[in-house]
Amino acid sequence: MHNPHGHERVRRSAKSRPKLFFLPGCSPELNPGEWVWKNARHDRIGKSGVTSRQDLKSKAAGALRRLRKRPGLVRAFFADPPLRYIAS
């Protein structure tokens, strides 16, 4: 977290002690952020032609806005076996 007060807020809001999971250094399949970018890159941007840097930026922003409006899709990422450790 970049907010210095964020850690305290998370600690107070946690019902139980947070669990720490130590992941291998090179394990993108275990990182939920990689799933978001995979969805944006392959499932959205990759299916359309990109004509310029600005076009790529616009399509990436649109893909991320689409995911923001579809929280069920993002939650579905966590149902996949590699990410189940997060929901445990």
Side-chain angles (χ1 to χ4, degrees):
M1 287 186 167
H2 300 290
N3 179 344
H5 304 289
H7 291 81
E8 181 64 25
R9 189 173 40 233
V10 169
R11 190 184 64 74
R12 282 194 313 254
S13 69
K15 292 180 181 166
S16 63
R17 190 174 182 137
K19 295 178 185 176
L20 296 178
F21 295 93
F22 295 96
L23 303 176
C26 186
S27 55
E29 71 281 1
L30 300 176
N31 181 348
E34 293 292 336
W35 290 64
V36 169
W37 283 113
K38 182 264 179 206
N39 182 275
R41 279 190 319 263
H42 294 284
D43 300 346
R44 304 302 299 169
I45 299 169
K47 295 191 186 291
S48 64
V50 175
T51 58
S52 67
R53 179 180 283 195
Q54 184 58 38
D55 185 36
L56 175 60
K57 186 176 178 179
S58 173
K59 287 179 179 174
L64 294 175
R65 270 193 308 275
R66 176 182 170 271
L67 281 173
R68 185 186 283 171
K69 293 177 182 178
R70 300 190 62 202
L73 177 59
V74 175
R75 275 193 293 278
F77 297 159
F78 295 93
D80 206 87
L83 295 182
R84 284 196 188 142
Y85 76 92
I86 297 170
S88 66

